[in-house]
Amino acid sequence: MRRPAVVCALLLVVLVGGCASIADEPQTLEPTPSSSVEQPTFAACDREAADPSSTNLRPSVLSAAELAIVAAWDDGWAPDGQLVVEHATDLLLPAGQIGFGNGYEASTGWVESQRVAPDGTTAPVSLAVLDSPSSGRRVAFVEVRVSPAPPVRWDEVPDLGFVTDGGDGGVLALPSGEPPFVEDQAAFDAIEAMYPGGDSASGTVCVLRSVGAVVTGVQFSAGWGDGGYPTFLGYDDTDRVVSAVSYGAVLPWSLSGLPGVPPEGIDGVG
């Protein structure tokens, strides 16, 4: 999808996760510029512990045995701290579609999307955060759970992954038809909510995107920062989508608590 020229400039400024369903093919919904569209607002998420019944992610104190798994992992290093699971919001999916993108894309509406649930599904969004004294708060996994059925397998959907050079990502609930394109100011507002007063050490890793009184998306700091971040869909034993997970590569997938056969090639296996 062709992006506005302002994307690169904006990201340079930045640098100074209902019922089951069958997924459609990924698609690009081009936002339509309109001066009448209401601008979104942004506010930091509460650091509320997730109800275990609302997510497949699981917290961990990172025992010595688990730290040994991380130490032997090719993609990371042995952290300190613990893995906490926080509830971001219950996201209404009016058309059953979600889109993932970097911070600019998620704040303004330029996201790749896929139908993952029936119209009107309410999907809990949870973040597994490495809360570390040495590295700060890092988002390891973001789950959008669209059905209570347990996933039995996971597959990557390349079109739902994203690349960021601003260190942020987001998931957006898409309406039917073309989503409205909002002004670039939305991206700056999201950054200010994530890093109030420019404080990158605030510990805020999750921001709610709202239009009026309705939460329309969740933005999050991505893993260790700049880079590419994949998205995986989880399927139940009838091959219906039950979960979508953005992977921050902060910890091995095996420490997420996510059930089912892991994605092919994850953690260097497969």
Side-chain angles (χ1 to χ4, degrees):
M1 180 178 67
R2 184 172 176 269
R3 301 286 190 264
V6 72
V7 175
C8 294
L10 175 61
L11 292 177
L12 288 175
V13 172
V14 174
L15 291 176
V16 181
C19 299
S21 66
I22 299 176
D24 295 340
E25 290 298 315
Q27 58 182 306
T28 298
L29 295 178
E30 299 282 356
T32 302
S34 172
S35 60
S36 64
V37 171
E38 184 176 1
Q39 285 287 112
T41 58
F42 300 87
C45 303
D46 294 330
R47 299 183 188 181
E48 173 189 352
D51 184 331
S53 68
S54 69
T55 179
N56 292 296
L57 297 167
R58 292 293 177 261
S60 172
V61 295
L62 295 179
S63 65
E66 290 173 328
L67 289 177
I69 293 173
V70 184
W73 183 43
D74 291 338
D75 294 335
W77 56 282
D80 50 19
Q82 60 182 331
L83 186 67
V84 298
V85 180
E86 299 174 354
H87 176 71
T89 191
D90 292 325
L91 189 62
L92 175 65
L93 311 181
Q97 294 190 89
I98 57 173
F100 285 86
N102 60 40
Y104 175 86
E105 294 164 338
S107 59
T108 59
W110 291 85
V111 294
E112 304 284 353
S113 70
Q114 182 160 333
R115 183 176 175 86
V116 296
D119 295 0
T121 295
T122 296
V125 182
S126 305
L127 283 71
V129 181
L130 173 63
D131 195 352
S132 165
S134 61
S135 65
R137 285 165 50 82
R138 300 284 180 171
V139 177
F141 303 88
V142 178
E143 182 187 29
V144 183
R145 190 179 189 185
V146 299
S147 169
V152 298
R153 66 178 179 87
W154 297 87
D155 289 330
E156 183 178 0
V157 182
D159 285 348
L160 293 184
F162 61 90
V163 175
T164 175
D165 61 2
D168 51 1
V171 57
L172 192 63
L174 276 297
S176 57
E178 294 184 350
F181 175 73
V182 300
E183 300 298 328
D184 291 337
Q185 183 60 43
F188 291 102
D189 292 344
I191 294 167
E192 177 60 26
M194 185 79 75
Y195 309 115
D199 181 11
S200 61
S202 67
T204 301
V205 296
C206 172
V207 169
L208 301 182
R209 178 191 193 273
S210 300
V211 176
V214 179
V215 176
T216 57
V218 177
Q219 296 188 223
F220 48 88
S221 61
W224 295 115
D226 300 350
Y229 293 92
T231 296
F232 300 93
L233 294 184
Y235 298 82
D236 70 6
D237 56 9
T238 66
D239 214 31
R240 296 173 297 180
V241 175
V242 295
S243 179
V245 167
S246 178
Y247 181 41
V250 171
L251 292 170
W253 182 279
S254 61
L255 299 185
S256 66
L258 295 168
V261 178
E264 183 177 357
I266 207 76
D267 294 353
V269 178

